[in-house]
Amino acid sequence: MYSEDIPAAGLEATRAYRSRLLEGMAHSVALKGYADTTVADIVREAGVSKRTFYECFATKKDCLIALYVAASHGAFKVLKDAIDPARDWQTQVDHALNAYLGCLASNPALLRTLFIEILGLGPEGLQVRRQMNQELADFVVQVVHAGHRHSPQDAALTAAMAMAVVGGINELVLQAIESNRTAELAALTPACSALVRAVLAAPHP
């Protein structure tokens, strides 16, 4: 019997198990990719039993989706923490994008899995990807509009335009992944920042 399977009090124990399983999934997919990762690999990395896995996740796919959400929120936190309201919005965008891209570059193997293999999970993968992209787009709108709070007539970044910016940044990241340049993601900061400025400078209906 696994010592980790001894019943512990409630929600905190469940959260701890989930966290360990997500780390186990991350380690395994970084080593061998999602397709070759098994539930046995995940629980071995996590140090728990298969029973514990299935108490937390219905399938391996569900575990990957949960990892995608957790990793995305981790990168979003880095992005948000890099915002300095005392600076002008353009400087904030440059600094935050650099931090965000640097965070993505910190684990190239996992990055490839999360950006590419999530698309192979079918409707569930696409849905959660859209959800994370929407959260990022909403945050971009919030930062730009806050930076223009003294001149609201210039705060013209719509939700659709923000999503277009997020899509453009994602495509640049995907190109870097496909050409094995993930370690250089921070070098995309000028292009990503220029995209934000170009969208804001364009005439709007």
Side-chain angles (χ1 to χ4, degrees), residues 18-135:
R18 282 179 61 90
S19 178
R20 288 168 61 174
L21 286 163
L22 293 182
E23 289 179 8
M25 169 67 92
H27 290 159
S28 186
V29 299
L31 287 172
K32 53 198 302 190
Y34 174 72
D36 292 330
T37 289
T38 66
V39 171
D41 294 326
I42 298 167
V43 299
R44 182 174 59 253
E45 292 284 348
V48 300
S49 71
K50 284 188 177 181
R51 188 188 73 185
T52 298
F53 177 90
Y54 288 112
E55 287 173 352
C56 294
F57 302 105
T59 64
K60 183 180 80 164
K61 178 193 291 188
D62 290 338
C63 188
L64 181 68
I65 289 173
L67 174 61
Y68 177 81
V69 171
S72 296
H73 283 159
F76 293 173
K77 184 177 187 305
V78 169
L79 178 67
K80 293 174 182 179
D81 289 347
I83 296 296
D84 181 358
R87 298 182 177 183
D88 65 272
W89 73 266
Q90 293 189 38
T91 302
Q92 289 186 59
V93 167
D94 290 346
H95 186 62
L97 282 172
N98 190 68
Y100 175 69
L101 292 168
C103 176
L104 294 181
S106 65
N107 193 333
L110 180 59
L111 178 68
R112 176 180 290 275
T113 296
L114 296 180
F115 262 74
I116 295 177
E117 297 199 46
I118 193 71
L119 300 177
L121 296 187
E124 299 98 326
L126 292 174
Q127 180 180 0
V128 74
R129 183 174 181 270
R130 290 193 191 99
Q131 177 186 336
M132 293 300 100
N133 284 346
Q134 187 63 61
E135 287 189 23

Side-chain angles (χ1 to χ4, degrees), residues 182-200:
T182 53
E184 304 167 19
L185 282 184
L188 296 175
T189 299
C192 294
S193 296
L195 174 60
V196 175
R197 289 194 292 271
V199 168
L200 284 172

